[in-house]
Amino acid sequence: MDRFQEMQVFAAVAKAQGFSAAARSLGMSAASVTRAVAALEQRIGTQLITRTTRSVHLSEAGQRYLEDCRRILAEVQEAEDSAAGSHAQPRGQLTITAPVLFGELFVTPVMVGYLTQFPEVSINALLLDRVVSMVEEGIDVAVRIGELPDSNQHAIRVGEVRRVICASPAFLTARGRPLHPNELSGAPIIATSSIGQLRTWPFLESGEPLSVRPEPRLVVTANQAAITAASMGLGFTRVLSYQVASKVAAGELEVVLADFEQPPLPIHVVYQGGRKAPVRVRSFVDFAVKTLREHPALSR
C-alpha cells in the first residue's frame, strides 16, 4: 500500500473512530486497515492512534498528522477536479455543520435539494449547538449565526435573524401587551438553559443598552420546548426569529417589544479554499446561498 492510500486509511479510521467502521466505509477488511495503520506508524516511527478495548483515540502526533492528511487529500481532489475542467460533476462526500434547530428547519431542505440535483455527492451533517472547528473536524461548509471572528475562511452573508420576545395571542389578550421591557419583571417567563442563553435579557432603548433579569416559571434545555410552552399560553419566551417564524405566521405566537430589540444577527455560509475549493464544495455553497437568501424568514 502506497503512502497516499495509507493516508486515506488513517483519515478514515480517525473519522470513524474505529478500525471496523473505517474498514466498512472503505470496502476493506478490518485486518487490512489495522495492518495499514501499523505500517504507517512503523514507517513514521511514532504512535498515531491509541487503542483500547473499546475505542481508539488520536495521539498528539496523530492529530497533527491528520490535519496534514486532510489538507493533502483535499489538494489531490482539487487537482483532479481542476484537471476534469470547470464542468466536472460534483462527487464525493461533503461534511457540513449548522445549529440544531436552524439545521432542521433550513439546512436540511437545502441538503435534500442539493442531493437530488447531484446524485454522486453524499453529505455528513453535524447539527450541533456549538461552534465546530472546521479544520480540526474536517468541515467543508458551516452555517454560522452571529458575528464571525477574523479568519482565513470565506464567508457569504445569506440573511439575518432577530432576538425576539413572544407569547401566545390568548396570553397577551388576558394579561395585556407590554409596552416596555420593564413590564417583563414579575411576568411568567419561559427560559432555556441552552448554550448562548443569558441570565439577563438585553434590549436597546433610544440606542442605549437596557437589561431585564427575568424570573422564569419554567426552564427547559431546548428552544423548541420553550416555544411549545409559549404557544400553549404559559408566558413570554426569548428566541431567535427564525425559530418562531412559522408560528408567528400561523397566529400561534405574537412578537412584542420589537422597538426595543437589539440589532439583528447575521447568517453566513462559511467554507474553506475559496476558488480552489473542490467542485462539490463550491456547488453546494452556491446552492445554499441562493436558497437561503430567498427564504422570507431570514430577511428583515
Side-chain angles (χ1 to χ4, degrees):
M1 185 175 292
D2 62 28
R3 293 186 178 185
F4 180 71
Q5 290 175 309
E6 286 178 347
M7 285 184 177
Q8 290 178 313
V9 171
F10 173 72
V13 172
K15 181 176 183 179
Q17 297 184 333
F19 288 86
S20 297
R24 288 192 295 270
S25 69
L26 295 169
M28 300 171 59
S29 68
S32 297
V33 169
T34 302
R35 285 195 299 269
V37 173
L40 175 62
E41 290 177 323
Q42 184 177 8
R43 180 167 54 78
I44 293 176
T46 189
Q47 187 177 33
L48 301 175
I49 294 178
T50 302
R51 305 156 179 83
T52 67
T53 55
R54 295 185 178 181
S55 61
V56 299
H57 301 282
L58 294 182
S59 66
E60 184 177 345
Q63 291 175 345
R64 293 195 302 269
Y65 186 68
L66 177 61
E67 292 181 18
D68 290 334
C69 283
R70 285 173 170 164
R71 174 180 53 78
I72 292 168
L73 294 172
E75 288 176 353
V76 170
Q77 183 64 58
E78 290 167 14
E80 292 179 352
D81 290 342
S82 177
S86 60
H87 299 291
Q89 182 75 2
R91 66 182 186 277
Q93 186 179 70
L94 280 168
T95 302
I96 296 165
T97 187
V100 175
L101 191 51
F102 190 90
E104 293 173 357
L105 296 176
F106 298 96
V107 180
T108 296
V110 171
M111 293 189 295
V112 171
Y114 178 83
L115 291 174
T116 301
Q117 186 171 336
F118 300 104
E120 295 185 44
V121 177
S122 60
I123 292 177
N124 177 32
L126 304 178
L127 303 184
L128 303 167
D129 285 329
R130 64 178 176 86
V131 177
V132 178
S133 170
M134 297 184 69
V135 174
E136 292 179 6
E137 303 202 35
I139 304 298
D140 296 303
V141 182
V143 178
R144 307 287 201 205
I145 299 176
E147 299 295 338
L148 297 175
D150 292 334
S151 71
N152 59 356
Q153 296 164 350
H154 298 262
I156 302 175
R157 183 164 176 156
V158 295
E160 62 184 27
V161 292
R162 298 153 46 211
R163 289 158 285 198
V164 300
I165 306 296
C166 58
S168 72
F171 171 85
L172 293 172
T173 298
R175 183 180 179 85
R177 287 163 176 78
L179 301 178
H180 191 276
N182 288 338
E183 296 179 49
L184 297 176
S185 298
I189 298 294
I190 307 153
T192 70
S193 58
S194 60
I195 296 173
Q197 288 290 332
L198 305 176
R199 293 185 176 225
T200 59
W201 286 359
F203 299 90
L204 284 178
E205 183 176 20
S206 301
E208 297 296 323
L210 169 71
S211 64
V212 173
R213 189 178 183 89
E215 299 176 2
R217 288 196 64 199
L218 174 64
V219 178
V220 294
T221 58
N223 286 330
Q224 189 57 58
I227 293 166
T228 299
S231 301
M232 295 175 67
L234 183 62
F236 297 97
T237 194
R238 183 176 186 263
V239 291
L240 295 176
S241 56
Y242 79 83
Q243 297 170 339
V244 292
S246 61
K247 288 188 177 293
V248 171
E252 298 176 38
L253 286 173
E254 182 179 327
V255 174
V256 297
L257 300 173
D259 291 341
F260 297 89
E261 290 174 5
Q262 293 181 301
L265 297 169
I267 305 169
H268 291 92
V269 173
V270 183
Y271 65 105
Q272 301 185 80
R275 294 181 179 178
K276 293 184 179 180
V279 172
R280 63 184 180 277
V281 173
R282 298 198 306 271
S283 61
F284 181 83
V285 168
D286 291 343
F287 189 92
V289 168
K290 180 178 185 297
T291 305
L292 294 175
R293 280 180 172 173
E294 292 174 350
H295 204 295
L298 307 182
S299 59
R300 184 178 290 274

